[in-house]
Structures are given as structure tokens and as C-alpha cells.
Amino acid sequence: MNRRQFLSTSLPLLAGARAWAAAKLPSIVYMYADDLGYGDVGCYGATRVKTPNLDRAAASGIRFTHAHSSSATCTPSRYSLMTGEYAFRQKGTGVLAGDASLIVQPGRYTLPAMLQQAGYRTGAVGKWHLGLGGRDLDWNGEIKPGPLEVGFDYSFIFPATGDRVPCVFVENHKVVNLDPNDPIRVSYDTPFPGEPRGAANPELLKMKPSHGHDKTIVNGISRIGYMSGGKSARWVDEDMADTITGRAVKFLEDNRARPFFLYFATHDIHVPRVPHPRFVGKTDMGPRGDAIAELDWSVGRVLDTLDKLKLTSNTLFIFTSDNGPVVDDGYRDQAVERLGDHKPAGPLRGGKYSAFDGGTRVPFVVRWPGTVRRGVSDAPVSQVDLLASLAAFTSQKLPETAAPDSFNVMPALLGKTKVGRPYIVEHANALSLIVGDWKVIQPHGGAKRNETGNELGNDPQAQLFDLAHDLGEQKNVAGEHPEKVKEMLAMLEKIQKDGRSRP
Ligand code: NG6
Ligand code: CA
């Protein structure tokens, strides 16, 4: 065969090569809960809320006890997950406003872009919170760059959080159900005349803020930021789980015949917690507990769909949370009053926003029946590792500069070993480092608690804990082990200074 003949027969094949390369690999579903704590799930010890679907996933897979989000808040955790880079390395990766520009550079080597290259069809459904567009984005036009420009083939997202405007869904490049005669405007500085606001019109509210959250009212709930117009496109909080779970399920159905990667980031259990009426009263903990029940229902819908499509044994399912739990996160929703003896962070100290382990040690379940053996694993793993791990798994070679902090922990994720990464870096206001049983928290000034009372873990002196005997970080032993503190702080500083940590 000459060169010409060779090309004419092999080119059409090359087009199909992407799909073919992935054909032997399982599909991947990454389900990302919001603000769900280590102790909020039945299989991690919760008793006052039932999570049968998560429990069944854990019972047929691996339940990790030392898995971490990269940060104690949403945007930086998601940034790290997508890029394999610690968010603390980049300015502007803190919790974003709803009108922020996209913070993941288009063209960058990301988790979804890597999987696209490996032959997967990639979809993002649910919470985004990584910014959209550039400066002065027009919400009534093409909304880009966004998920489609950083590696997703399909997206159905809400831009930031449930408590931030604009309260609309964006499918690919367009706001869903937008009436062109009622254009959307968004501002984080200036109120729009005639638009009711929580601060000025509290009589219109069905749920009142405990802190902030007093700007534009949408669906009887005041939010962070101002918006006007887009009335036909505004979401109804009670229907959010149904809407996005429906889209996630549809993505699975539409792509059943080929390898896919679904990134499904739920709104639950973030504020405002407004579950659908069918979940109201499912627990005795009020909306926060009921939102966990709703979240578990979403998990069940995904698992049942995989079963129905006969994809269960060929799908790697991962469930985790973007940061630890929070009780009062700015709305008076009974979460504090009705918490009782429920421990959202289980045995851990702190939660969302905190340098203590409750900030980032989160539920993490991996299930792939027939391949991953059931069990519990204490292997240290971090969400920043997903990129290098799944790249190794799909035989993709990471470019030298890509994913600077991502380690291949795939053998641990598949339960082949209990050796995970050699250390964990946690990111709240302060950075922390865990090596073996020791944990150091870098000295950090500032308040001990935030405006809604959540413990931040700040201390102007370094803190040291022996997690083997004191998982709850009650006894700071820095004074007794000055050498250990010095050694670990130096290691953490080196990780910061080097600009990368991937082997
Ligand atoms: C805080 C909000 C909180 C939540 C958080 C982001 C107030 C008082 N608090 O500023 O309600 O929205 O930002 O949460 O406004 S995250 O899970 O997306 O990181
Ligand atoms: Ca979160």
C-alpha cells in the first residue's frame, strides 16, 4: 500500500479513533455535592437523616475516610478539580460573585479537556461557580467563554450559587427560557430601581437572611447581588433538584452508547435550602436535613438510570463534596435550632471555611461494581488528584506544565492499595499540611469565627495536632514538638514556593 492509499483508508478511521480509544474504558460520573459534611451521610455515621442511595453506593464500592476537597470553599475546590492546580497559587480563585469572568483559561489542559481527548463525551450539569465570559458579559447574548470552552461538550449550569444572582440556568451558551423582551441585567454594586430587595421589602420574603443575602428577591428569597428582568427564565428553588437531576439523567440516556464523563454538581445542600415539598419534613432537622434527603434522591436517580441503561458495571461513579458542612450560612432556615445532636462534620472540628479538618475532609465514595472491590479506605487522596489519576487511567500523557499539583492516586481510588498521596494540603484562610498522623496549620491572623459564627481555624501561632490520637483537633501540641512544627512548615513553604508539587 502506498502512502496515498494508506491515508485514504486510515483517515476515516482516525475520526473514529477517539471513540474507539475509550471504548474499553468505563464511563465516568463525578457527582459533586455542595457543603455536605463528613458526618452528614448515613454511611459516615449520620442517623437523623437517611441516605439509602449513598449508603448503597458505598456498600457496593469504597468509602474513603481521608479524602479531601482542595479547599474549604467552593470556587477554589472546583478550580483545583478542573485544573489539577492548588487554587492558592492563583489570585482571583476565591468565592466568586455571580457576574465574575471565567477563571479557567480556555485552551488550558483541564480534567474535561483531557477526557475529551481520551475519547469521552463530556457534560457539566448543575453548579458552575468558576465564572463566565469576560468583562461586561451580556447575559442576553452568547455566554462565553464558559464550560464549552474549557473541555465540556455540553453544559446545563447555574452560573454561581443558589444564593447569588443571576438566578437562571444557562444551557451551552444561552440562558434557558429567556424572553428577549425582558432582558436580564446583573449588578453586584447598584440596585435596579423598582426591583424589590430583601433589605427594603422584608414583607415579601418567605425565608429571611441571618446575614447578608438582602438584595434582589427571587422566588420570595433575597440573594447576594442585584438582577432585573429575565422573569420567565428565573428558577424556582423548590424545583432546582428536579431540573438539574433531570438534565443529568438525560445526558446519561443520550450518551448511553459511548464513553461519557458527566460532571454533576448539585445545588444541595447549599443555601438557600428550599427542597421540593415532597422532601419537606423527611427529617426532623428542617430544611438542611430535608435538603440532604433531596440530595440522596438525586444520587438514587443517577444510580437507577445507570442500572436501567445497563451501564452500572461499566461506569466509574464517584461521589464527594466541594467543602465541609456549615449550619448557619446566612439564612434563618432553622438549621441551628433543629440541629440537636446531629454532627455535620462527624468527629471532625470546624467545617466550611475552616482550616480544621471539617473544612476539607469530606465524604468520598467510589463505585464500579465488578471491578472495584468493596471496602473502606483510609488512603489520603485529594480532589486535586482527579486530573492526573484519570489521565493515567485513560492512558493520557500529561503535558509537563499541566496539572502542577495533581498526583496519580488511581490505584488507591480503585482500591488496589491503601497508599494514597504522601501528604495532604488543605486550604482555608490558612494553609495546613497533613503528613502521616501529624497536621500543622500555618500561622494566620484574623478573626477566629466568620460573620455567621463558623470557626475558621486562624491563629497567629502555628498549630500542631496528632490526628491519630486527636482527630478532633482539640489539643494543640505545637509547644511540645517545635522541631516537628518547623519541619512541616518548611515543607509547606517549599510546596508554595516551588509553584508546583507534581512528581
Ligand atoms: C459566603 C456567603 C454564603 C455562601 C458562601 C459561598 C454570606 C453571609 N455568606 O460569602 O452564604 O454563599 O459565600 O459558598 O453572604 S460556596 O459553597 O459557594 O463557597
Ligand atoms: Ca460549597
Side-chain angles (χ1 to χ4, degrees):
M1 193 190 296
N2 66 29
R3 191 178 135 81
R4 196 133 153 230
Q5 283 169 324
F6 173 78
L7 283 178
S8 67
T9 50
S10 56
L11 271 183
L13 290 176
L14 281 178
R18 261 178 57 171
W20 178 83
K24 294 195 186 75
L25 293 166
S27 287
I28 302 167
V29 173
Y30 186 87
M31 214 175 148
Y32 213 12
D34 200 349
D35 297 357
L36 186 74
Y38 193 82
D40 276 329
V41 181
C43 55
Y44 283 84
T47 53
R48 281 175 54 214
V49 52
K50 304 265 174 280
T51 54
N53 292 300
L54 272 167
D55 300 352
R56 100 169 123 113
S60 58
I62 308 174
R63 185 173 69 81
F64 287 81
T65 60
H66 200 348
H68 292 255
S69 60
S70 316
S71 299
T73 50
C74 165
T75 301
S77 284
R78 286 163 208 249
Y79 176 86
S80 301
L81 171 73
M82 292 292 170
T83 63
E85 176 183 46
Y86 292 135
F88 66 74
R89 299 204 190 283
Q90 300 297 340
K91 285 213 170 72
T93 55
V95 174
L96 293 180
D99 63 348
S101 305
L102 180 67
I103 59 169
V104 179
Q105 213 64 28
R108 185 166 179 173
Y109 196 91
T110 61
L111 176 63
M114 179 276 293
L115 289 171
Q116 240 174 8
Q117 251 171 46
Y120 283 78
R121 172 138 168 111
T122 57
V125 175
K127 178 173 178 173
W128 182 241
H129 213 187
L130 290 167
L132 287 170
R135 277 166 137 240
D136 300 323
L137 173 70
D138 177 5
W139 292 92
N140 306 287
E142 292 259 292
I143 297 168
K144 63 181 191 187
L148 301 197
E149 284 68 37
V150 300
F152 287 105
D153 293 309
Y154 171 78
S155 66
F156 185 98
I157 55 161
F158 54 101
T161 60
D163 56 342
R164 282 173 177 76
V165 302
C167 301
V168 296
F169 296 108
V170 178
E171 185 172 26
N172 297 324
H173 291 144
K174 293 277 189 190
V175 168
V176 178
N177 288 334
L178 181 61
D179 172 0
N181 298 316
D182 180 29
I184 297 177
R185 282 180 301 157
V186 175
S187 169
Y188 272 71
D189 317 310
T190 326
F192 296 102
E195 276 293 336
R197 285 175 290 128
N201 310 88
E203 74 286 354
L204 299 179
L205 297 177
K206 62 181 174 194
M207 183 187 276
K208 295 205 173 21
S210 64
H211 198 96
H213 298 112
D214 59 357
K215 309 240 167 356
T216 295
I217 300 175
V218 174
N219 189 32
I221 300 165
S222 46
R223 319 276 164 159
I224 306 175
Y226 305 103
M227 77 177 281
S228 77
K231 293 262 164 28
S232 59
R234 295 183 182 194
W235 68 54
V236 174
D237 303 79
E238 288 82 345
D239 297 335
M240 268 181 106
D242 282 333
T243 303
I244 58 179
T245 306
R247 291 296 167 147
V249 164
K250 184 162 186 313
F251 180 85
L252 299 176
E253 288 169 350
D254 290 351
N255 294 288
R256 62 202 294 173
R258 55 178 150 191
F260 57 77
F261 168 59
L262 171 64
Y263 170 78
F264 176 22
T266 68
H267 159 68
D268 287 320
I269 61 169
H270 198 279
V271 296
R273 302 169 184 130
V274 194
H276 189 272
R278 68 186 187 278
F279 297 103
V280 172
K282 280 280 170 207
T283 68
D284 61 4
M285 289 193 285
R288 188 175 185 280
D290 298 347
I292 299 174
E294 182 172 80
L295 169 69
D296 188 69
W297 167 84
S298 293
V299 172
R301 283 282 285 139
V302 169
L303 297 179
D304 289 348
T305 304
L306 293 174
D307 283 348
K308 192 188 84 193
L309 299 174
K310 304 211 172 358
L311 293 174
T312 297
S313 61
N314 195 33
T315 303
L316 176 64
F317 173 85
I318 302 174
F319 174 93
T320 186
S321 175
D322 69 336
N323 52 251
V326 55
V327 181
D328 180 353
D329 207 17
Y331 288 99
R332 291 182 208 285
D333 61 4
Q334 297 274 301
V336 176
E337 295 83 342
R338 294 173 70 170
L339 188 65
D341 59 358
H342 177 71
K343 300 249 176 309
L348 311 172
R349 182 168 176 182
K352 183 176 181 178
Y353 311 109
S354 181
F356 296 120
D357 254 41
T360 64
R361 195 188 290 232
V362 285
F364 194 104
V365 168
V366 175
R367 187 195 77 146
W368 182 11
T371 306
V372 161
R373 266 204 282 148
R374 299 187 253 167
V376 178
S377 173
D378 60 0
V381 295
S382 168
Q383 290 164 10
V384 77
D385 298 327
L386 264 295
L387 181 38
S389 302
L390 292 176
F393 182 59
T394 56
S395 307
Q396 298 299 299
K397 193 169 164 13
L398 289 180
E400 186 52 32
T401 54
D405 298 301
S406 192
F407 287 38
N408 174 12
V409 294
M410 205 63 210
L413 295 182
L414 297 178
K416 292 183 178 147
T417 169
K418 293 212 170 148
V419 180
R421 49 162 44 243
Y423 59 84
I424 296 279
V425 175
E426 301 175 301
H427 171 214
N429 284 353
L431 293 184
S432 312
L433 178 71
I434 301 177
V435 187
D437 293 332
W438 292 109
K439 167 166 174 178
V440 76
I441 306 180
Q442 261 182 350
H444 200 287
K448 296 267 182 219
R449 290 179 183 272
N450 76 354
E451 63 281 358
T452 43
N454 301 296
E455 202 175 23
L456 301 176
N458 293 331
D459 194 307
Q461 306 295 321
Q463 303 169 73
L464 182 76
F465 298 99
D466 172 5
L467 297 182
H469 301 104
D470 181 23
L471 187 60
E473 294 167 276
Q474 294 299 318
K475 191 163 177 270
N476 175 7
V477 294
E480 291 148 52
H481 303 276
E483 285 308 314
K484 189 44 82 189
V485 171
K486 217 171 125 194
E487 172 199 322
M488 289 183 71
L489 287 180
M491 184 173 163
L492 191 46
E493 267 160 41
K494 182 166 166 23
I495 293 167
Q496 283 176 279
K497 266 210 215 100
D498 285 351
R500 60 169 289 148
S501 57
R502 178 155 69 86

